Amino acid sequence: MQEIENRRSIRKYQNRKVEKEKLVQILESARLAPSGSNTQPWTFLIVESEDTKEKLAAVDHHQTWMTAAPILIVCVADIRCRIPMDTEIRLDENSAEPELKHIIRDTAIAVEHILLEAEHQGLAACWTGWFEQNDVRPILNIPEDKYVCGIIPLGYGDETPEQRPRKAMEEIVRYETW
């Protein structure tokens, strides 16, 4: 519970490199995430290049603060775990393909594992996703049959925001029926 209670979306980072051992542990936490039918539809691209970070921040609604993080983790969902390779498919925000919902859901679980393990490792992160597939995919040569679920800036935080208000349990929990 401590990591869950302490985790915040951090947008300011120290100019400090992330240790490889911590990054590996964070990626291991994502690898162990559950997925429907154990499809494990995720791929994670690690970006450290300043030029590439600037390009990603630009297409992610010009959120230039992202470039201060030493690492960006680009979280990609792969529909090929559910659709044969010989089926032509192109995914974007308007795709009607029902399997897209499954791979986004499963990859989102892995992304949350990343965020919580980052907190556990003493690092800070923020899940961003204010981009269009057509803008973000070309930067990293991501094929059109893959879906970018988020970009996570990762590093040592340089801010400690207060916890934001949360709804009371009575507002979010119902028993047996609506």
Side-chain angles (χ1 to χ4, degrees):
M1 284 297 290
Q2 182 177 352
E3 285 83 3
I4 294 170
E5 290 175 0
N6 292 342
R7 198 208 71 75
R8 303 284 185 278
S9 293
I10 301 299
R11 293 174 179 84
K12 293 181 182 175
Y13 296 88
Q14 299 174 21
N15 185 13
R16 182 176 166 193
K17 190 169 177 60
V18 172
E19 297 86 347
K20 182 174 179 159
E21 304 78 34
K22 289 186 176 188
L23 176 61
V24 168
Q25 192 62 38
I26 288 166
L27 296 170
E28 177 68 5
S29 76
R31 188 183 74 82
L32 295 174
S35 60
S37 301
N38 197 33
T39 53
Q40 304 171 58
W42 44 72
T43 299
F44 304 100
L45 292 104
I46 308 306
V47 176
E48 297 178 282
S49 155
E50 294 301 322
D51 181 57
T52 305
K53 290 192 308 183
E54 287 174 13
K55 289 176 183 174
L56 290 169
V59 300
D60 202 347
H61 209 74
H62 302 285
Q63 297 184 85
T64 56
W65 60 266
M66 293 169 59
T67 63
I71 294 172
L72 298 182
I73 302 175
V74 181
C75 308
V76 182
D78 186 355
I79 203 162
R80 292 303 175 187
C81 67
R82 294 183 169 272
I83 293 178
M85 289 296 289
D86 60 351
T87 304
E88 188 170 327
I89 189 163
R90 182 180 181 286
L91 300 176
D92 64 23
E93 291 75 15
N94 300 308
S95 294
E97 182 59 54
E99 296 295 338
L100 179 58
K101 293 174 188 166
H102 296 294
I103 65 167
I104 290 172
R105 175 202 61 215
D106 291 344
T107 303
I109 297 167
V111 171
E112 184 62 14
H113 277 51
I114 287 172
L115 298 175
L116 293 175
E117 184 60 26
E119 178 68 30
H120 181 74
Q121 293 292 329
L123 296 168
C126 182
W127 185 343
T128 71
W130 205 354
F131 51 79
E132 298 287 324
Q133 298 297 309
N134 290 338
D135 297 331
V136 73
R137 280 195 298 239
I139 296 170
L140 299 169
N141 298 315
I142 298 170
E144 290 187 345
D145 64 343
K146 312 297 183 250
Y147 191 89
V148 180
C149 291
I151 301 172
I152 302 173
L154 177 72
Y156 285 92
D158 201 18
E159 65 176 341
T160 51
E162 293 294 319
Q163 183 176 23
R164 299 186 62 172
R166 310 309 300 166
K167 291 181 179 180
M169 289 290 272
E170 297 78 30
E171 293 181 73
I172 64 168
V173 177
R174 300 180 193 282
Y175 292 90
E176 305 299 337
T177 184
W178 188 263

